[in-house]
């Protein structure tokens, strides 16, 4: 892992070419990371309750599987701290290579864990430990990928550039859900014995591809310039985490502003899939419906980021925030119709429910990467963005599937408590987005 590494090429055309390469690398890397991370969500819905939590009531097993899912979200802020520290001290590129290797190895090993019938409860224990490794890896991945795209981009297109990182999440979800859907067509015994494992084992192939791409990009020019300036001035480098914690307001605002986006996002491949299947829709059809909707949402994530750039050109008061607030408000209004379609037992209506939900979610998710990253100075930006973003995932997504599955079970399988919980979560995020300063005009070359 090299030190303060290479600046981008000097010519304008070369810089644009390099920016495109970095953005593509961030997108592919994010896709691979989220294939691994969100594949676990699908497996938690359709396989883990029967493989690692046998002998329990169906919904008790679901809640237990979602609890192991939450372990990854608990670990994500830790990944943000660890990778953020070294990313702000040493450089973005090296951390991205390490985080990808960690994720790929952990995901491959998940596919090799013996079930409860072979090693009893130890299978669940190993599952949790590897899920923690996944969480640490993705906690470090997101911040570095977002910053590489953001810090290489034209200042007027930062929202669009950074949105490619978040577009990796639905792309990874598509890949993971399609692959899991293919193997879910096996007879149930075969699927539970070995079919669910194959998508995790394929992670190793994706790891090799991702490494070949990621090794070819250059370090962030803004970071390299900031470090060179500090070195020239003989300034003592501060500990990035302490620098962020001295001004904790930005961290707190980001955590609650982004929480609902992750809560709503994670409900779709977990509880919503289980709910639709329990209401009579075929499992494979539901998985493909979610995959198709996720594929459509990729373009809307990018459009959300682009719209936040364009609004910012119209007025200093506009930018990321109006797009994000509108997406959340519309999602609240859509919750009851969404669950109505999910519970219809009709795959076509399930597909429509997922599609509309993900399109609305894209209004928030597209601008979010830039909105978070723009709140911090250069030499603490990796730490601040990564920790703030991952705390938002922990608060919003880590325990949400388990909570709403518990609410649904304890209410006699009524969807009303689920809708109320998600609506309150979204309203809280709307308030915090409105109170957070608009970031589109922030100067990214500011060291502090």
């Amino acid at each position: 892992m090299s030190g303060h590494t290479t600046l981008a090429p000097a010519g304008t055309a070369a810089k644009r070419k390099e920016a495109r390469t970095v953005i593509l690398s961030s997108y592919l890397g994010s896709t691979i990371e989220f294939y691994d991370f969100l594949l676990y969500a699908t497996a938690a819905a359709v396989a883990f309750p029967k493989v690692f939590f046998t002998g329990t009531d169906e919904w008790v097993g679901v809640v237990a599987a979602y609890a192991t899912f939450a372990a990854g979200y608990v670990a994500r802020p830790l990944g943000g701290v660890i990778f953020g520290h070294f990313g702000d001290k040493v450089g973005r590129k090296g951390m991205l290579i390490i985080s990808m290797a960690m994720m790929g190895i952990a995901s491959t090993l998940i596919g090799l864990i013996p079930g409860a019938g072979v090693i009893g409860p130890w299978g669940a224990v190993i599952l949790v430990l590897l899920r923690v490794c996944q969480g640490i890896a993705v906690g470090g991945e997101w911040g570095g990928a977002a910053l590489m795209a953001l810090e290489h981009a034209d200042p007027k297109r930062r929202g669009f550039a950074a949105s490619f990182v978040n577009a990796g999440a639905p792309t990874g979800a598509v890949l993971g859900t399609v692959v899991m859907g293919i193997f879910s067509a096996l007879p149930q015994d075969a699927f539970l014995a070995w079919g669910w494992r194959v998508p995790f084992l394929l992670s190793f192939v994706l790891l090799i591809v991702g490494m070949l791409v990621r090794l070819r990009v250059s370090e962030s020019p803004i970071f390299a310039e900031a470090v060179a300036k500090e070195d020239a001035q003989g300034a003592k480098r501060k500990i990035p985490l302490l620098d962020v914690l001295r001004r904790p307001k930005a961290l707190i605002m980001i955590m609650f502003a982004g929480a609902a986006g992750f809560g709503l996002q994670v409900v779709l491949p977990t509880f919503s899939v289980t709910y639709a299947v329990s209401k009579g829709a075929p499992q494979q059809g539901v998985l493909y419906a979610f995959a198709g909707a996720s594929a459509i949402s990729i373009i809307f994530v990018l459009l959300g980021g682009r719209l936040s750039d364009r609004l910012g050109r119209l007025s200093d008061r506009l930018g990321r925030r109006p797009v994000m607030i509108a997406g959340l408000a519309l999602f609240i209004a859509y919750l009851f119709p969404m669950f109505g379609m999910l519970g219809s037992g009709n795959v076509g209506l399930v597909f429509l429910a997922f599609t509309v939900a993900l399109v609305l979610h894209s209004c928030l998710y597209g601008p979010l990467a830039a909105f978070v990253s723009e709140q911090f100075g250069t030499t603490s930006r990796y730490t601040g963005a990564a920790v703030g973003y991952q705390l938002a995932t922990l608060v919003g997504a880590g325990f949400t599937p388990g909570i709403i599955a518990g609410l649904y079970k304890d209410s006699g399988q009524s969807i009303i408590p689920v809708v109320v919980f998600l609506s309150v979560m979204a309203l809280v995020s709307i308030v915090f987005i409105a109170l957070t300063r608009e970031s589109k005009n922030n100067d990214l070359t500011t060291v502090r």
Side-chain angles (χ1 to χ4, degrees):
M1 184 167 55
S2 60
H4 305 323
T5 69
T6 315
L7 287 169
T12 301
K15 285 182 178 180
R16 289 177 178 172
K17 181 179 179 181
E18 177 67 16
R20 288 193 294 269
T21 301
V22 169
I23 291 169
L24 176 61
S25 169
S26 292
Y27 170 67
L28 290 176
S30 179
T31 295
I32 293 168
E33 290 275 333
F34 280 97
Y35 166 86
D36 291 333
F37 195 74
L38 296 177
L39 181 65
Y40 191 105
T42 305
V46 301
F48 291 168
K50 298 180 179 67
V51 175
F52 298 107
F53 302 98
T54 56
T56 62
D57 173 82
E58 180 183 0
W59 279 98
V60 171
V62 169
V63 172
Y66 289 166
T68 70
F69 174 78
Y73 284 91
V74 173
R76 283 174 71 160
L78 177 60
V81 171
I82 295 170
F83 284 92
H85 174 83
F86 290 103
D88 283 326
K89 284 285 192 179
V90 179
R92 316 325 194 186
K93 178 180 175 179
M95 295 304 102
L96 289 174
I97 292 170
I98 295 172
S99 68
M100 179 174 283
M102 186 174 183
M103 174 64 87
I105 292 170
S107 298
T108 302
L109 291 176
I110 286 174
L112 299 174
I113 303 173
V118 178
I119 59 173
W122 285 107
V125 172
I126 298 169
L127 185 67
V128 171
L129 291 175
L130 291 175
R131 180 61 174 172
V132 168
C133 291
Q134 279 192 323
I136 292 172
V138 82
E141 162 71 24
W142 181 89
L147 265 56
M148 286 288 278
L150 196 78
E151 293 176 347
H152 276 86
D154 183 317
K156 295 181 180 179
R157 297 170 64 89
R158 293 193 316 225
F160 182 58
S163 70
F164 277 86
V165 178
N166 278 2
T171 308
V174 170
L175 291 176
T177 309
V178 166
V179 174
M180 189 65 79
I182 290 171
F183 285 94
S184 73
L186 291 167
Q188 185 76 345
D189 289 346
F191 174 70
L192 295 176
W194 61 269
W196 69 269
R197 300 177 182 276
V198 178
F200 286 96
L201 298 177
L202 290 175
S203 298
F204 194 77
V205 177
L206 294 177
L207 171 63
I208 301 302
V209 174
M211 283 295 191
L212 292 175
V213 173
R214 186 149 278 176
L215 287 167
R216 299 177 61 184
V217 302
S218 65
E219 182 58 88
S220 158
I222 290 177
F223 172 78
E225 183 180 342
V227 170
K229 185 183 295 184
E230 285 194 339
D231 289 347
Q233 295 171 349
K236 184 179 179 181
R237 301 288 303 280
K238 296 181 180 180
I239 297 174
L241 181 61
L242 295 181
D243 200 28
V244 171
L245 293 178
R246 286 191 186 99
R247 297 180 291 274
K249 181 181 176 181
L251 210 60
I252 295 169
M253 299 298 280
I254 285 169
M255 178 172 65
F256 288 104
F262 296 110
L264 295 171
Q265 180 189 50
V266 80
V267 161
L268 297 177
T270 56
F271 176 81
S272 296
V273 168
T274 307
Y275 178 77
V277 172
S278 73
K279 293 296 183 180
Q283 178 175 288
Q284 187 180 32
V286 172
L287 292 176
Y288 283 147
F290 179 71
S294 297
I296 293 171
S297 76
I298 295 168
I299 188 66
F300 285 93
V301 172
L302 301 177
L303 288 174
R306 187 65 177 138
L307 180 60
S308 74
D309 286 331
R310 289 191 174 276
L311 286 181
R313 296 182 193 180
L314 296 176
S315 169
D316 288 341
R317 298 175 63 87
L318 300 177
R320 323 288 186 217
R321 294 186 303 171
V323 183
M324 297 164 70
I325 290 173
L328 281 173
L330 290 170
F331 209 122
I332 292 173
Y334 176 63
L335 282 170
F336 271 119
M338 180 183 79
F339 282 111
M341 288 186 283
L342 288 173
S344 68
N346 183 297
V347 172
L349 289 176
V350 170
F351 169 70
L352 180 61
F354 281 139
T355 300
V356 176
L358 287 170
V359 167
L360 295 178
H361 182 266
S362 298
C363 294
L364 170 70
Y365 202 53
L368 188 62
F371 178 77
V372 170
S373 302
E374 289 165 343
Q375 305 291 335
F376 301 95
T378 302
T379 52
S380 61
R381 184 171 293 131
Y382 199 143
T383 301
V387 173
Y389 191 89
Q390 303 311 332
L391 285 174
T393 68
L394 172 60
V395 171
F399 301 98
T400 296
I403 290 172
I404 62 174
L407 289 172
Y408 181 70
K409 178 177 69 71
D410 294 342
S411 64
Q413 300 189 2
S414 169
I415 207 65
I416 293 175
V418 173
V419 171
V420 171
F421 179 85
L422 295 176
S423 297
V424 171
M425 182 185 291
L427 286 171
V428 170
S429 284
I430 287 174
V431 170
F432 276 88
I433 291 169
L435 293 176
T436 304
R437 64 176 180 173
E438 180 56 61
S439 62
K440 69 183 188 309
N441 293 323
N442 291 355
D443 182 5
L444 292 190
T445 62
T446 303
V447 176
R448 298 292 176 203

